[in-house]
Amino acid sequence: MGKLFHNATFIPLTDEDARAEAVLVGDDGRIAYVGTVEARALGEGAEEVDLGGAAVVPGLIDPHSHFTGSLQYLLFADLSACTSFAEITETLREFAAKRHIGPDGVIMGNGYDQNNLVEQRHPDKSVLNAVSTDIPVLITHVSNHMGVANDRLLELAGITPTTPDPEGGRYGRMDGTGDLDGYAEEPAAMNPFYAVTTPRLGLDFNAMIGDMQRIYLEHGVTTCQDGATAPDMAAVMAGLAKAGLLKMDIVAYPMWGTDVMATLAANPEFDSQDYHGHFRFGGLKMFLDGSPQGLTAWMTEPYVEGPDGERDWVAYGTMTDDDATAFAKAAIDSNHQLLCHTNGDAAADQLLRVYEAARDASDNPNKMGLRPVMIHCQTARTDQYEKMAEIGMIPSIFSSHIWYWGDAHLRNFGPARGGRVSACGDAARAGLPFTLHTDTPVLRPNLLEAAWCAVNRVTKAGAQLDEDQKVTPYQAMRAITFNGAYQYGEEADKGTLEAGKLADLVVLDRNPLAVDPREIRDIKVLATIKEGEVIYRRDEA
């Protein structure tokens, strides 16, 4: 029988001018026909679905986020609107009172940005001690690369003034005393806090998984990523898949710093290019530096000014060349794709250097086809994009930085370097199948907004960043559909509306290729369809 979707403008994204009047979907959840309304004759007896004149594009594909991190939207206080330390304290107090959090619990907040605070610096533990001295309190920066703990959490985590800074991380200390100020930088320093806080959250994934998926589905995402999967979360995701609770496809990447091979071995049926219950492992993940808005992205040339006013601050890397090469080689030898977080151009240099060395040292006969991914690419240079093309590496660009932190980048890097962040234009000219992401939960998985940023390159304050790095609406839409499918090695099944591919569709109120480019992020998702089934409808949200 199948379904006939019609009365819409279908935008296959096979080329810029391609349009269709109807899509026929078979009982197998795959597209049987894309074309004119003559599909009625081909699909005689099919259920007809009238889309009311909407626009339809392929399901949006998230090329980098942290699906399990979307729990933050459900369980943490939202600090993104706070503009002062006092507002952070008050928001956390109200959150704790509303949730009736006691000494056996934990008070968590996420999304503060020192760039938006009147104090123009990170909070310290005194801000959180004012919330509670009995309950552990942890707040995390919008980048998730740094955070602040109160004294109670420092005590429970066993972090004292004599605790040394871990490799690739740092603990903040008070001037002149050496005492901890509660600040922690990068996962190596923050992981002891999470070891205390996570067990206190009382996580019930079976109860929360619907809301976690809705965060993506309401933005038209049909395939998403868990981009730094811990061993316990891998087991949780496998359990949800086996229980049939996943509606969308989720690709997981076990994270450096854990026994990644043990994680894969513990869940062998998911270590495959094929999904089981909408879940699979896609490869391995490592990271080489921090956050540019947090002044921890590793640069070849100094920031305008460092965290304490330094004029020669370039930040630092998080892995040695030897460790990074060994991890990359383990991925290549085991025939897995490697994802690597790099924001600064020094980190990008390191990734290109170590990946090429690891690949050359590997005996894997398939090593040239693994499609490694450079994640974020905020300050990647023209020559680095050209090198990516040479070695078959895919840039996944966090283009939403343009709007959300473009003004901070102009301050931190100056007009030339700051103006060319998220250089999609260079990626396109290098012939790279670049993708666009939002790094959820850093930002909501609004890929249409990511596309808008890449097309318009305007900051919150109205500054126009380097227009030579703009891309067209068609290029931006391909980046969040076909290119995303290509990154996952799934271009035969996803990314365009073509016969034989999965019927993953997004119903929009306007055509992103026809509206004024300045309006792309205002387009609304009306429905999200996975393999021919409506799994989200705006009027039912």
Side-chain angles (χ1 to χ4, degrees):
M1 294 285 287
K3 292 180 181 176
L4 176 66
F5 294 93
H6 65 100
N7 190 17
T9 300
F10 293 88
I11 305 131
L13 292 177
T14 49
D15 65 63
E16 190 161 1
D17 298 322
R19 299 291 185 272
E21 298 175 345
V23 167
L24 179 63
V25 178
D27 289 330
D28 60 355
R30 290 185 177 269
I31 297 172
Y33 171 83
V34 179
T36 66
V37 289
E38 70 185 32
R40 278 198 177 91
L42 297 172
E44 186 176 354
E47 175 189 350
E48 294 199 13
V49 182
D50 187 325
L51 295 176
V56 180
V57 298
L60 305 187
I61 297 179
D62 156 47
H64 179 67
S65 72
H66 305 272
F67 175 77
T68 52
S70 64
L71 283 169
Q72 293 182 9
Y73 294 124
L74 309 179
L75 299 175
F76 295 6
D78 181 3
L79 307 179
S80 61
C82 293
T83 59
S84 67
F85 291 172
E87 287 186 7
I88 289 174
T89 298
E90 184 58 28
T91 299
L92 291 169
R93 283 176 176 164
E94 291 177 358
F95 177 83
K98 184 177 180 180
R99 300 281 180 121
H100 304 291
I101 299 173
D104 292 335
V106 60
I107 302 169
M108 302 283 285
N110 177 256
Y112 86 86
D113 186 346
Q114 86 283 4
N115 295 293
N116 297 333
L117 301 177
V118 294
E119 292 85 357
Q120 285 292 291
R121 62 182 176 88
H122 294 277
D124 58 40
K125 64 184 182 181
S126 67
V127 177
L128 306 187
N129 288 338
V131 178
S132 180
T133 56
D134 300 321
I135 305 169
V137 183
L138 177 65
I139 62 172
T140 50
H141 186 260
V142 64
S143 69
N144 277 312
H145 277 263
M146 50 209 70
V148 186
N150 70 343
D151 273 322
R152 179 59 175 154
L153 180 53
L154 288 167
E155 175 189 353
L156 291 171
I159 307 299
T160 72
T162 61
T163 301
D165 290 342
E167 183 178 346
R170 183 173 71 88
Y171 293 112
R173 301 178 189 275
M174 297 181 183
D175 291 341
T177 70
D179 190 18
L180 296 166
D181 64 10
Y183 174 80
E185 193 171 272
E186 301 304 331
M190 294 185 67
N191 285 341
F193 297 148
Y194 293 136
V196 174
T197 60
T198 301
R200 289 171 169 249
L201 289 172
L203 301 177
D204 182 351
F205 283 94
N206 283 23
M208 295 185 293
I209 190 61
D211 289 334
M212 292 169 67
Q213 290 179 97
R214 181 177 293 274
I215 290 165
Y216 287 82
L217 297 176
E218 68 188 7
H219 289 101
V221 175
T222 52
T223 300
C224 81
Q225 184 180 112
D226 193 51
T229 309
D232 57 341
M233 289 296 102
V236 167
M237 294 304 300
L240 294 168
K242 291 174 182 176
L245 295 175
L246 302 182
K247 298 179 180 180
M248 58 192 297
D249 288 342
I250 302 175
V251 190
Y253 291 78
M255 177 68 174
W256 171 78
T258 66
D259 191 340
V260 293
M261 294 306 175
T263 297
L264 297 176
N267 304 278
E269 66 269 45
F270 299 103
D271 186 13
S272 166
Q273 189 67 20
D274 298 323
Y275 291 92
H276 296 276
H278 294 295
F279 179 67
R280 72 177 181 91
F281 292 112
L284 305 181
K285 167 79 182 296
M286 68 180 185
F287 73 101
L288 296 180
D289 71 340
S291 152
Q293 68 270 38
L295 304 179
T296 58
W298 185 22
M299 304 298 298
T300 56
E301 298 179 22
Y303 290 80
V304 171
E305 186 175 297
D308 298 310
E310 303 98 328
R311 294 296 178 178
D312 58 353
W313 178 254
V314 295
Y316 52 87
T318 56
M319 295 177 71
T320 66
D321 269 22
D322 286 347
D323 286 345
T325 303
F327 190 82
K329 187 171 182 296
I332 297 167
D333 286 347
S334 61
N335 209 44
H336 287 103
Q337 182 185 53
L338 178 73
L339 266 59
C340 184
H341 165 119
T342 65
N343 267 311
D345 67 329
D349 278 337
Q350 185 184 29
L351 174 60
L352 292 165
R353 179 172 66 247
V354 303
Y355 191 85
E356 200 164 26
R359 186 198 63 193
D360 290 348
S362 176
D363 294 327
N364 179 4
N366 300 317
K367 63 184 181 181
M368 302 303 292
L370 295 177
R371 303 181 185 178
V373 183
M374 183 183 290
I375 298 291
H376 301 327
C377 309
Q378 276 312 294
T379 59
R381 307 184 305 265
T382 304
D383 64 292
Q384 291 173 328
Y385 284 114
E386 292 169 348
K387 183 66 174 179
M388 286 185 234
E390 179 186 322
I391 67 175
M393 184 174 286
I394 298 169
S396 186
I397 301 172
F398 193 172
S399 58
S400 303
H401 263 255
I402 294 165
W403 172 256
Y404 287 94
W405 297 287
D407 300 300
H409 297 331
L410 290 171
R411 292 194 302 271
N412 292 335
F413 296 124
R417 283 188 299 165
R420 71 176 304 280
V421 294
S422 299
C424 298
D426 276 352
R429 284 185 287 273
L432 289 161
F434 68 92
T435 62
L436 304 176
H437 67 262
T438 62
D439 203 17
T440 302
V442 173
L443 296 172
R444 298 268 175 169
N446 189 345
L447 294 181
L448 287 172
E449 182 177 65
W452 175 88
C453 288
V455 169
N456 292 283
R457 296 187 60 81
V458 176
T459 73
K460 275 188 176 183
Q464 176 66 66
L465 301 190
D466 187 349
E467 295 194 72
D468 193 44
Q469 299 303 335
K470 286 182 174 181
V471 293
T472 67
Y474 177 71
Q475 289 174 312
M477 290 303 298
R478 285 274 289 188
I480 59 176
T481 53
F482 180 82
N483 292 0
Y486 180 86
Q487 179 182 303
Y488 286 127
E490 299 180 25
E491 68 272 20
D493 289 321
K494 300 175 181 176
T496 56
L497 302 183
E498 295 181 85
K501 292 193 175 185
L502 293 173
D504 293 354
L505 317 173
V506 184
V507 184
L508 306 173
D509 71 341
R510 281 171 286 172
N511 179 352
L513 301 186
V515 300
D516 185 318
R518 293 170 295 183
E519 298 176 6
I520 291 172
R521 73 168 173 181
D522 300 323
I523 294 173
K524 293 180 175 59
V525 173
L526 302 180
T528 303
I529 298 167
K530 183 79 176 84
E531 296 170 32
E533 299 295 327
V534 176
I535 55 176
Y536 167 81
R537 199 185 303 273
R538 183 180 177 86
D539 58 13
E540 295 174 357

